[in-house]
């Protein structure tokens, strides 16, 4: 039996724009994505002798069958490589909030692909890993690559950017879930008043300016989700009132993050929010977001 483990990092969206809807129902997006320090730990064993895929999560009651994206990643790996399953055991130690707009499921799936490639010594190219990841979900390729990226298409067309300037990140996930498909349906008929200035964000990252990166945070999904769940706006306001340079929602929500250039302020904001919201974290940008062994 062989075993390996990796940290699977969450992501946030520094910008998120929905630019159109395709005939197949998918949406075109343009977004700047960033890995953060909050992570799950994914452990995979192969050659267990069971001849089956088994999955166990610690700290969550997520499904342990093919309703779980990490399980489907193992199925896809076997199908794409032609390897006969000699027993694959997956354990996910959950720390990333679930259904939170943080790509928790996608990053677990990415980790499984990378670990199986290493354990079976299939030596897949990065391009092949990303191609397989895209079959599982639009965020999976980013989770394989990590760091700071411009994502276009349905999210699978990635352009590596310079590392974003390091900042303190307060992440807060309120105790409810948001349906991503429902938010996309709503945005199809919504008038988007403010869109991200992606060019300005790219310049801010290139310049290494924390203030400017914070200034250009923008997510077109936030007004849609916040109308359904006003707590999203309230959490943003609390972060800004406690020293955040800016605060926005990640993905389709409901998680909110604030960027801070002062650790003391970040700690105070985290403490204030943690009194009300259990899933509150103080973290930072993970520039080494790529899943490496």
């Amino acid at each position: 039996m062989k075993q390996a483990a990796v940290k699977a990092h969450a992501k946030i969206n520094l910008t998120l724009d929905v630019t159109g809807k395709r005939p197949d129902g998918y949406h075109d997006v343009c977004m700047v994505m960033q890995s953060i320090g909050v992570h799950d730990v994914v452990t995979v064993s192969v050659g267990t002798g069971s001849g089956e895929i088994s999955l166990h999560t610690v700290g969550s009651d997520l499904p342990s069958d093919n309703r779980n994206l990490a399980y489907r990643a193992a199925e896809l790996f076997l199908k794409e490589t032609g390897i006969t399953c000699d027993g694959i055991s997956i354990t996910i130690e959950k720390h990333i909030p679930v259904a939170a707009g943080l790509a928790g499921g996608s990053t677990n799936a990415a980790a499984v692909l990378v670990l199986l490639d290493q354990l079976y010594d299939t030596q897949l190219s990065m391009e092949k890993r990303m191609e397989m990841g895209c079959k599982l979900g639009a965020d999976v390729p980013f989770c394989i690559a990590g760091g700071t990226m411009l994502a276009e298409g349905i999210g699978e067309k990635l352009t590596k950017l310079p590392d974003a300037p390091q900042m303190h990140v307060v992440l807060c996930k309120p105790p409810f879930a948001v349906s991503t498909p429902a938010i996309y349906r709503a945005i199809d008929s919504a008038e988007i008043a403010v869109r991200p200035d992606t060019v300005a964000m790219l310049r801010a990252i290139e310049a290494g300016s924390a203030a400017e990166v914070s200034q250009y945070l923008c997510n077109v999904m936030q007004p849609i989700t916040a109308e359904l769940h006003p707590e999203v706006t309230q959490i943003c306001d609390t972060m800004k009132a406690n020293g955040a340079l800016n605060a926005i929602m990640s993905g389709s929500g409901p998680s909110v993050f604030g960027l801070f250039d002062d650790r003391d302020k970040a700690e105070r904001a985290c403490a204030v929010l943690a009194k009300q919201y259990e899933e509150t974290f103080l973290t930072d940008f993970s520039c080494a977001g790529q899943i490496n062994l």
Side-chain angles (χ1 to χ4, degrees):
M1 188 177 76
K2 296 167 66 178
Q3 183 181 91
V6 290
K7 295 177 180 178
H9 290 267
K11 65 84 186 168
I12 54 175
N13 298 90
L14 302 181
T15 66
L16 196 166
D17 197 5
V18 179
T19 57
K21 186 176 182 180
R22 299 182 175 193
D24 61 6
Y26 283 97
H27 289 76
D28 285 309
V29 296
C30 180
M31 50 193 179
V32 177
M33 304 174 79
Q34 175 64 52
S35 302
I36 59 173
V38 177
H39 63 272
D40 294 339
V41 178
V42 180
T43 304
V44 174
S45 302
V46 300
T48 65
S50 69
E52 299 177 346
I53 300 168
S54 65
L55 187 150
H56 175 64
T57 57
V58 179
S60 170
D61 58 356
L62 288 169
S64 59
D65 53 21
N66 64 4
R67 291 173 295 169
N68 190 303
L69 202 60
Y71 189 103
R72 296 207 297 276
E75 290 183 316
L76 179 66
F77 177 87
L78 294 173
K79 179 181 176 182
E80 294 277 328
T81 61
I83 291 172
T84 300
C85 183
D86 56 1
I88 296 173
S89 173
I90 303 165
T91 301
I92 302 172
E93 183 184 311
K94 288 297 295 181
H95 300 284
I96 302 171
V98 175
L102 302 171
S106 294
T107 197
N108 294 160
V112 168
L113 289 178
V114 172
L115 287 168
L116 289 175
D117 180 34
Q118 190 247 356
L119 290 166
Y120 283 115
D121 195 25
T122 42
Q123 300 182 32
L124 300 177
S125 66
M126 177 61 81
E127 290 73 21
K128 181 61 177 177
R129 289 180 182 180
M130 304 282 257
E131 176 192 321
M132 290 167 65
C134 193
K135 292 179 180 180
L136 294 164
D139 284 342
V140 179
F142 169 78
C143 293
I144 291 171
T148 310
M149 291 269 186
L150 174 67
E152 298 172 284
I154 63 169
E156 88 289 5
K157 296 178 181 176
L158 299 173
T159 303
K160 180 78 175 78
L161 301 175
D163 292 340
Q166 192 57 256
M167 282 178 274
H168 305 288
V169 181
V170 175
L171 179 69
C172 179
K173 195 265 182 181
F176 52 85
V178 171
S179 166
T180 298
I183 300 303
Y184 270 112
R185 286 194 297 271
I187 213 166
D188 286 338
S189 58
E191 289 190 17
I192 300 174
V194 179
R195 292 186 181 274
D197 188 337
T198 304
V199 172
M201 176 60 83
L202 298 182
R203 287 174 181 159
I205 291 170
E206 181 73 35
S209 171
E212 290 185 18
V213 167
S214 301
Q215 176 185 344
Y216 292 114
L217 296 179
C218 185
N219 180 348
V220 299
M221 290 186 172
Q222 182 168 332
I224 308 294
T225 302
E227 186 174 353
L228 298 170
H229 302 285
E231 270 182 277
V232 167
T233 301
Q234 293 164 11
I235 294 168
C236 286
D237 291 344
T238 298
M239 289 193 182
K240 287 184 272 193
N242 284 275
L245 297 174
N246 204 353
I248 65 165
M249 187 181 79
S250 181
S252 58
S255 296
V256 169
F257 67 91
L259 301 183
F260 296 75
D261 59 1
D262 181 285
R263 185 173 178 85
D264 289 341
K265 289 179 181 178
E267 288 177 345
R268 285 197 295 272
C270 188
V272 168
L273 287 163
K275 291 177 183 177
Q276 185 173 356
Y277 300 104
E278 181 179 353
E279 292 185 294
T280 301
F281 308 82
L282 176 58
T283 184
D284 56 17
F285 291 164
S286 173
C287 294
Q290 182 174 350
I291 297 175
N292 287 317
L293 296 162

